[in-house]
Amino acid sequence: AQSVTQLGSHVSVSEGALVLLRCNYSSSVPPYLFWYVQYPNQGLQLLLKYTSAATLVKGINGFEAEFKKSETSFHLTKPSAHMSDAAEYFCAVSDKGGTYKYIFGTGTRLKVLA
Amino acid sequence: DGGITQSPKYLFRKEGQNVTLSCEQNLNHDAMYWYRQDPGQGLRLIYYSQIVNDFQKGDIAEGYSVSREKKESFPLTVTSAQKNPTAFYLCASSQGGSGTGELFFGEGSRLTVL
């Protein structure tokens, strides 16, 4: 069965510093991968997705992620954190087999320090 | 504007009562989903539907029921059999199959059992 692991349930960075949120997946076949952001008491919004095209994926709000098959990773980065980036971030994987099932990680809450 | 509408946003229930959460989408998406979110556990799939009049159990379907009589509607009933229903519930939809499309989420419904 597929699974997603997000290392670090809480991450703190200073404003202007690099943001790095880690995601590793478990799948025998490279899946489709997604990063979502959630602000308090709201639904999730897509940041970016990987669907077997370019391995470096650029998303909204200056975020990007790199798919590394050898490391089974899809880490999310942003060169310079902004206060508005404070939120919870979820990595998700979907099954290429068309089962319509998306598996989510447990989330990483990002705190940005002034 | 196209999107997903969940209602109510907040709901209080006494033990032993059934409640129904509404989810409506005007994105013309085929697939719809219900997720449950608890702190530190990410999103867990309750039910999903790929097409009208058809739906499948997710990972935590016990104590829940759904219907899909119309393409745009996918209501979730939390029954009295659900032992710990207090949670944040998210409805989502996606276009087509194969898991390539991202999920679009509603704003969520927070259920509290008194």
Side-chain angles (χ1 to χ4, degrees):
Chain A
Q2 292 191 24
S3 66
V4 174
T5 301
Q6 291 185 242
L7 292 177
S9 58
H10 292 81
V11 170
S12 294
V13 299
S14 298
E15 191 174 20
L18 171 71
V19 175
L20 170 60
L21 304 181
R22 299 178 187 273
C23 173
N24 288 87
Y25 67 91
S26 168
S27 175
S28 58
V29 176
Y32 297 137
L33 293 155
F34 307 83
W35 274 100
Y36 290 87
V37 61
Q38 184 183 33
Y39 297 98
N41 292 312
Q42 293 187 23
L44 278 69
Q45 177 186 3
L46 181 73
L47 278 176
L48 48 82
K49 65 179 179 181
Y50 167 77
T51 56
S52 71
T55 57
L56 182 63
V57 182
K58 295 187 182 299
I60 63 171
N61 301 338
F63 284 94
E64 63 181 36
E66 186 173 8
F67 172 72
K68 291 187 176 180
K69 182 179 177 180
S70 61
E71 299 177 7
T72 60
S73 69
F74 191 56
H75 302 331
L76 181 71
T77 60
K78 182 174 180 178
S80 177
H82 191 272
M83 297 299 288
S84 61
D85 295 326
E88 189 155 23
Y89 293 80
F90 291 91
C91 183
V93 61
S94 71
D95 183 355
K96 280 185 176 178
T99 64
Y100 288 79
K101 292 186 72 174
Y102 296 75
I103 307 299
F104 284 82
T106 52
T108 298
R109 187 169 297 279
L110 176 66
K111 185 174 181 179
V112 182
L113 307 172
Chain B
D1 289 338
I4 297 181
T5 301
Q6 289 187 239
S7 63
K9 190 167 179 65
Y10 298 96
L11 184 62
F12 298 89
R13 185 193 98 175
K14 294 181 179 179
E15 285 193 22
Q17 287 182 336
N18 292 355
V19 294
T20 297
L21 308 180
S22 170
C23 177
E24 302 278 332
Q25 56 103 353
N26 60 4
L27 299 168
N28 200 33
H29 285 171
D30 293 312
M32 297 187 73
Y33 310 76
W34 274 105
Y35 288 91
R36 169 177 171 144
Q37 185 177 18
D38 296 282
Q41 296 192 47
L43 278 69
R44 292 182 291 168
L45 183 64
I46 305 173
Y47 270 97
Y48 64 104
S49 169
Q50 302 174 16
I51 196 170
V52 174
N53 292 322
D54 187 47
F55 48 83
Q56 287 76 43
K57 292 182 178 180
D59 301 316
I60 56 165
E62 184 176 353
Y64 300 98
S65 65
V66 294
S67 63
R68 186 85 186 275
E69 298 177 0
K70 298 186 296 182
K71 185 176 184 178
E72 59 270 24
S73 179
F74 192 42
L76 173 74
T77 296
V78 184
T79 75
S80 57
Q82 169 51 233
K83 300 191 183 308
N84 184 21
T86 295
F88 191 54
Y89 291 88
L90 288 161
C91 180
S93 70
S94 67
Q95 177 65 50
S98 303
T100 59
E102 67 264 32
L103 293 172
F104 289 78
F105 285 86
E107 292 287 291
S109 293
R110 186 168 297 281
L111 172 63
T112 303
V113 173
L114 303 174

Coordinates of all heavy atoms in Angstrom, one line a residue, chain A residues 53-102:
Chain A
A53 N 6.1 14.7 -15.5 CA 6.7 15.6 -16.5 C 8.1 16.1 -15.9 O 8.8 15.2 -15.5 CB 5.8 16.8 -16.8
A54 N 8.3 17.3 -15.8 CA 9.6 17.8 -15.3 C 9.7 17.5 -13.8 O 8.7 17.5 -13.0 CB 9.6 19.4 -15.4
T55 N 10.9 17.1 -13.4 CA 11.1 16.7 -12.0 C 11.1 17.9 -11.0 O 10.8 17.7 -9.8 CB 12.4 15.9 -11.8 OG1 13.5 16.7 -12.3 CG2 12.3 14.6 -12.6
L56 N 11.4 19.1 -11.5 CA 11.3 20.3 -10.7 C 10.0 21.0 -11.0 O 9.8 21.4 -12.1 CB 12.5 21.2 -10.9 CG 12.6 22.4 -10.1 CD1 12.7 22.1 -8.6 CD2 13.8 23.3 -10.5
V57 N 9.2 21.1 -10.0 CA 7.9 21.6 -10.2 C 7.7 23.0 -9.5 O 8.1 23.1 -8.3 CB 6.8 20.6 -9.7 CG1 5.4 21.2 -9.9 CG2 7.0 19.3 -10.3
K58 N 7.3 23.9 -10.2 CA 7.1 25.3 -9.6 C 5.6 25.4 -9.3 O 4.7 25.0 -10.1 CB 7.6 26.4 -10.5 CG 9.1 26.3 -10.7 CD 9.6 27.5 -11.5 CE 11.1 27.4 -11.7 NZ 11.9 27.4 -10.4
G59 N 5.3 26.0 -8.1 CA 3.9 26.2 -7.7 C 3.6 27.7 -7.5 O 4.3 28.6 -7.9
I60 N 2.5 27.9 -6.7 CA 2.1 29.2 -6.4 C 2.9 29.7 -5.2 O 3.5 29.0 -4.5 CB 0.6 29.3 -6.1 CG1 0.3 28.4 -4.9 CG2 -0.2 28.8 -7.3 CD1 -1.2 28.6 -4.4
N61 N 2.8 31.1 -5.0 CA 3.5 31.7 -3.9 C 5.0 31.5 -3.7 O 5.5 31.6 -2.6 CB 2.7 31.3 -2.6 CG 1.3 31.6 -2.6 OD1 0.8 32.5 -3.3 ND2 0.5 30.9 -1.8
G62 N 5.6 31.2 -4.8 CA 7.1 31.0 -4.8 C 7.6 29.7 -4.4 O 8.8 29.5 -4.2
F63 N 6.7 28.7 -4.1 CA 7.1 27.4 -3.7 C 7.5 26.5 -4.9 O 7.0 26.7 -6.0 CB 6.0 26.7 -3.0 CG 5.8 27.2 -1.6 CD1 4.9 28.2 -1.3 CD2 6.5 26.6 -0.5 CE1 4.7 28.7 0.0 CE2 6.4 27.1 0.8 CZ 5.4 28.1 1.0
E64 N 8.4 25.6 -4.7 CA 8.7 24.6 -5.7 C 9.1 23.3 -5.0 O 9.3 23.3 -3.8 CB 9.9 25.1 -6.6 CG 11.2 25.3 -5.9 CD 12.2 25.8 -6.9 OE1 11.9 26.5 -7.8 OE2 13.4 25.4 -6.7
A65 N 9.1 22.2 -5.7 CA 9.4 20.9 -5.2 C 10.1 20.1 -6.3 O 9.9 20.2 -7.4 CB 8.1 20.2 -4.7
E66 N 11.0 19.2 -5.8 CA 11.8 18.4 -6.7 C 11.5 16.9 -6.5 O 11.6 16.4 -5.3 CB 13.3 18.6 -6.6 CG 14.1 17.9 -7.6 CD 15.6 18.3 -7.6 OE1 16.0 19.0 -6.7 OE2 16.3 17.8 -8.5
F67 N 11.1 16.2 -7.5 CA 10.8 14.8 -7.4 C 12.2 14.1 -7.6 O 12.9 14.2 -8.6 CB 9.9 14.4 -8.5 CG 9.7 12.9 -8.7 CD1 9.0 12.2 -7.7 CD2 10.2 12.2 -9.7 CE1 8.8 10.8 -7.8 CE2 10.1 10.8 -9.8 CZ 9.4 10.1 -8.9
K68 N 12.5 13.3 -6.6 CA 13.8 12.5 -6.7 C 13.4 11.0 -6.5 O 13.2 10.5 -5.4 CB 14.8 12.9 -5.6 CG 15.3 14.3 -5.8 CD 16.4 14.6 -4.8 CE 17.1 16.0 -5.1 NZ 18.1 16.3 -4.2
K69 N 13.4 10.3 -7.6 CA 13.0 8.9 -7.6 C 13.9 8.1 -6.8 O 13.5 7.2 -6.0 CB 12.9 8.4 -9.0 CG 12.5 6.9 -9.1 CD 12.4 6.5 -10.6 CE 12.0 5.0 -10.7 NZ 12.0 4.6 -12.1
S70 N 15.2 8.3 -6.8 CA 16.2 7.5 -6.1 C 16.1 7.6 -4.6 O 16.4 6.7 -3.9 CB 17.6 7.9 -6.5 OG 17.9 9.3 -6.2
E71 N 15.5 8.8 -4.2 CA 15.4 9.0 -2.7 C 13.9 8.9 -2.3 O 13.6 9.1 -1.2 CB 15.9 10.4 -2.4 CG 17.3 10.6 -2.7 CD 17.8 12.0 -2.4 OE1 17.0 12.8 -1.8 OE2 19.0 12.4 -2.7
T72 N 13.0 8.6 -3.3 CA 11.6 8.6 -3.1 C 11.1 9.8 -2.3 O 10.4 9.7 -1.3 CB 11.1 7.3 -2.4 OG1 11.7 7.1 -1.1 CG2 11.4 6.1 -3.2
S73 N 11.6 10.9 -2.7 CA 11.3 12.2 -2.0 C 10.6 13.2 -2.9 O 10.8 13.2 -4.1 CB 12.5 12.8 -1.4 OG 13.4 13.3 -2.4
F74 N 9.9 14.1 -2.3 CA 9.3 15.2 -3.0 C 9.2 16.4 -2.0 O 8.2 16.8 -1.6 CB 7.9 14.8 -3.4 CG 7.2 15.8 -4.4 CD1 7.8 16.1 -5.6 CD2 5.9 16.3 -4.1 CE1 7.2 17.0 -6.5 CE2 5.3 17.2 -5.0 CZ 5.9 17.5 -6.1
H75 N 10.4 16.9 -1.7 CA 10.5 18.0 -0.6 C 10.0 19.3 -1.2 O 10.3 19.7 -2.4 CB 11.9 18.1 -0.1 CG 12.4 16.8 0.5 ND1 11.6 15.9 1.1 CD2 13.7 16.4 0.6 CE1 12.4 14.9 1.5 NE2 13.6 15.2 1.2
L76 N 9.4 20.1 -0.4 CA 8.9 21.4 -0.7 C 9.8 22.5 -0.2 O 10.3 22.5 0.9 CB 7.5 21.7 -0.1 CG 6.8 23.0 -0.4 CD1 6.3 23.0 -1.9 CD2 5.6 23.1 0.5
T77 N 10.2 23.5 -1.1 CA 11.1 24.5 -0.7 C 10.6 25.9 -1.2 O 9.8 26.0 -2.1 CB 12.5 24.3 -1.3 OG1 12.4 24.3 -2.7 CG2 13.1 23.0 -0.8
K78 N 11.1 26.9 -0.5 CA 10.8 28.3 -0.8 C 12.1 29.1 -0.4 O 12.5 28.9 0.8 CB 9.6 28.9 -0.2 CG 9.3 30.3 -0.6 CD 7.9 30.8 -0.1 CE 7.7 32.2 -0.5 NZ 6.3 32.7 -0.1
P79 N 12.7 29.9 -1.3 CA 13.9 30.5 -0.9 C 13.8 31.5 0.3 O 14.8 31.5 1.1 CB 14.3 31.2 -2.2 CG 13.6 30.6 -3.3 CD 12.3 30.1 -2.7
S80 N 12.7 32.2 0.4 CA 12.6 33.2 1.4 C 11.2 33.2 2.0 O 10.2 33.5 1.3 CB 12.9 34.6 0.8 OG 12.8 35.6 1.7
A81 N 11.2 32.9 3.3 CA 9.9 32.7 4.0 C 9.2 34.1 4.2 O 9.9 35.1 4.5 CB 10.0 32.0 5.3
H82 N 7.9 34.1 4.1 CA 7.2 35.3 4.4 C 6.2 35.0 5.5 O 5.8 33.9 5.7 CB 6.4 35.8 3.1 CG 5.8 37.1 3.2 ND1 4.5 37.3 3.8 CD2 6.3 38.3 2.9 CE1 4.2 38.6 3.7 NE2 5.3 39.3 3.2
M83 N 5.8 36.0 6.3 CA 4.9 35.8 7.4 C 3.6 35.1 6.9 O 3.0 34.3 7.6 CB 4.5 37.1 8.1 CG 5.7 37.8 8.7 SD 6.5 36.8 10.0 CE 5.2 36.9 11.3
S84 N 3.2 35.4 5.7 CA 1.9 34.8 5.2 C 2.0 33.4 4.9 O 1.0 32.7 4.6 CB 1.5 35.6 4.0 OG 2.4 35.5 3.0
D85 N 3.3 32.8 4.9 CA 3.5 31.4 4.6 C 3.1 30.5 5.8 O 3.1 29.3 5.7 CB 4.9 31.1 4.2 CG 5.3 31.8 2.9 OD1 4.4 31.9 2.0 OD2 6.4 32.2 2.8
A86 N 2.9 31.1 7.0 CA 2.5 30.3 8.2 C 1.2 29.6 7.9 O 0.2 30.3 7.7 CB 2.4 31.3 9.4
A87 N 1.3 28.3 8.0 CA 0.1 27.5 7.7 C 0.5 26.0 7.9 O 1.6 25.7 8.3 CB -0.4 27.7 6.2
E88 N -0.4 25.1 7.6 CA -0.1 23.7 7.6 C 0.0 23.2 6.2 O -0.8 23.5 5.3 CB -1.2 22.9 8.4 CG -0.8 21.5 8.6 CD -1.4 20.8 9.9 OE1 -2.5 21.3 10.3 OE2 -0.9 19.9 10.4
Y89 N 1.0 22.4 6.0 CA 1.3 21.9 4.6 C 1.2 20.3 4.6 O 1.7 19.7 5.5 CB 2.7 22.3 4.2 CG 2.8 23.8 4.0 CD1 3.0 24.6 5.1 CD2 2.7 24.4 2.8 CE1 3.0 26.0 5.0 CE2 2.8 25.8 2.6 CZ 2.9 26.6 3.7 OH 3.0 27.9 3.5
F90 N 0.5 19.9 3.5 CA 0.3 18.4 3.4 C 0.8 17.9 2.1 O 0.6 18.5 1.0 CB -1.2 18.1 3.4 CG -1.9 18.3 4.8 CD1 -2.5 19.5 5.1 CD2 -1.9 17.3 5.7 CE1 -3.1 19.8 6.3 CE2 -2.5 17.5 7.0 CZ -3.1 18.7 7.3
C91 N 1.6 16.8 2.2 CA 2.0 16.1 1.0 C 1.0 15.0 0.7 O 0.5 14.4 1.7 CB 3.4 15.6 1.2 SG 4.2 14.7 -0.1
A92 N 0.7 14.7 -0.6 CA -0.2 13.7 -0.9 C 0.2 12.9 -2.1 O 1.0 13.5 -3.0 CB -1.6 14.3 -1.1
V93 N -0.2 11.7 -2.2 CA 0.2 10.8 -3.4 C -1.1 10.2 -3.9 O -2.1 10.0 -3.2 CB 1.1 9.7 -2.9 CG1 0.6 8.8 -1.9 CG2 1.6 8.9 -4.1
S94 N -1.2 10.0 -5.2 CA -2.3 9.4 -5.8 C -1.9 8.2 -6.6 O -0.7 8.1 -7.0 CB -3.2 10.3 -6.7 OG -2.5 10.6 -7.9
D95 N -2.8 7.2 -6.8 CA -2.5 6.0 -7.4 C -2.7 6.1 -8.9 O -3.7 6.5 -9.4 CB -3.5 4.9 -6.8 CG -3.2 3.5 -7.4 OD1 -2.4 3.4 -8.3 OD2 -3.9 2.6 -6.9
K96 N -1.6 5.8 -9.7 CA -1.7 5.9 -11.1 C -2.7 4.9 -11.7 O -3.1 5.0 -12.8 CB -0.4 5.7 -11.8 CG 0.5 6.9 -11.8 CD 1.8 6.6 -12.5 CE 2.7 7.8 -12.6 NZ 3.9 7.5 -13.3
G97 N -3.1 3.9 -10.9 CA -4.0 2.9 -11.4 C -5.4 3.3 -11.5 O -6.2 2.5 -11.8
G98 N -5.7 4.5 -11.2 CA -7.0 5.1 -11.4 C -8.0 4.6 -10.3 O -9.2 4.5 -10.5
T99 N -7.5 4.4 -9.1 CA -8.4 4.1 -8.0 C -9.1 5.3 -7.4 O -9.9 5.1 -6.5 CB -7.7 3.3 -6.9 OG1 -6.7 4.2 -6.3 CG2 -7.1 2.0 -7.4
Y100 N -8.7 6.4 -7.8 CA -9.3 7.7 -7.3 C -8.9 7.9 -5.8 O -9.4 8.8 -5.2 CB -10.8 7.7 -7.4 CG -11.4 7.9 -8.8 CD1 -11.4 6.8 -9.6 CD2 -11.8 9.1 -9.2 CE1 -11.9 6.9 -10.9 CE2 -12.3 9.2 -10.5 CZ -12.4 8.2 -11.3 OH -12.9 8.3 -12.6
K101 N -7.9 7.2 -5.3 CA -7.6 7.3 -3.9 C -6.3 8.2 -3.8 O -5.3 8.0 -4.4 CB -7.3 6.0 -3.2 CG -8.6 5.2 -3.1 CD -8.4 3.9 -2.3 CE -8.2 4.2 -0.9 NZ -8.1 2.9 -0.1
Y102 N -6.4 9.2 -2.9 CA -5.3 10.1 -2.6 C -4.9 9.8 -1.1 O -5.8 9.8 -0.2 CB -5.7 11.5 -2.8 CG -6.1 11.9 -4.2 CD1 -7.3 11.6 -4.7 CD2 -5.2 12.7 -4.9 CE1 -7.6 11.9 -6.0 CE2 -5.5 13.1 -6.2 CZ -6.7 12.7 -6.8 OH -7.1 13.1 -8.1

